[in-house]
Amino acid sequence: MTTARRHAVPALMLLLATSAVAQPLSEDAELHRAYSQAVRHAIRTHWVLPAEGVTGQCPVLVRQLPGGEVLHAAAHPACAFDEAGRRSVEDAVWAASPLPYHGFERVFAREMRVTVRADGE
């Protein structure tokens, strides 16, 4: 990966969904935020944008094992990126494996939807 290929750090939003019974939001809100931020950072540091500009947003469905090992990463059909952009986001998720886990066990999401925004925000 070369730094020349990296563009301004795109904004990433994480929307985490889990089927486990959640603790009351007030108990884990800070831990959820920290987990989202850690996952976002892990993916962002591995995202190499394609040569052509990527705009809009792209939801990516991620499945992982406890410990953070990624089992599946696929752009959602609603992804606004072209094929190269979709591949770049999926590649970033795979490259970030294992995703953050230790310290976040209580709020760990086995399945999550990561929405990647590349609009310069």
Side-chain angles (χ1 to χ4, degrees):
M1 245 183 283
T2 64
T3 54
R5 289 202 59 202
R6 291 183 189 264
H7 298 289
V9 178
L12 297 177
M13 296 186 312
L14 294 179
L15 304 173
L16 304 179
T18 180
S19 59
V21 176
Q23 296 292 324
L25 186 59
S26 60
E27 278 184 37
D28 291 329
E30 280 300 313
L31 193 56
H32 273 286
R33 273 192 286 280
Y35 178 54
S36 295
Q37 186 174 35
V39 171
R40 180 176 56 243
H41 178 74
I43 294 169
R44 182 176 51 225
T45 59
H46 290 90
W47 191 16
V48 178
L49 293 167
E52 296 296 316
V54 174
T55 59
Q57 60 184 5
C58 182
V60 181
L61 306 175
V62 178
R63 238 179 275 129
Q64 61 180 330
L65 291 173
E69 181 184 348
V70 174
L71 298 174
H72 175 82
H76 188 275
C79 179
F81 297 173
D82 63 9
E83 187 57 35
R86 288 171 184 248
R87 259 193 325 275
S88 72
V89 172
E90 292 169 352
D91 290 348
V93 174
W94 285 109
S97 183
L99 294 172
Y101 176 76
H102 296 290
F104 301 110
E105 294 87 349
R106 207 169 66 224
V107 294
F108 170 77
R110 195 169 177 74
E111 294 185 359
M112 68 179 117
R113 177 177 162 165
V114 181
T115 299
V116 179
R117 292 179 41 181
D119 55 10
E121 290 180 17

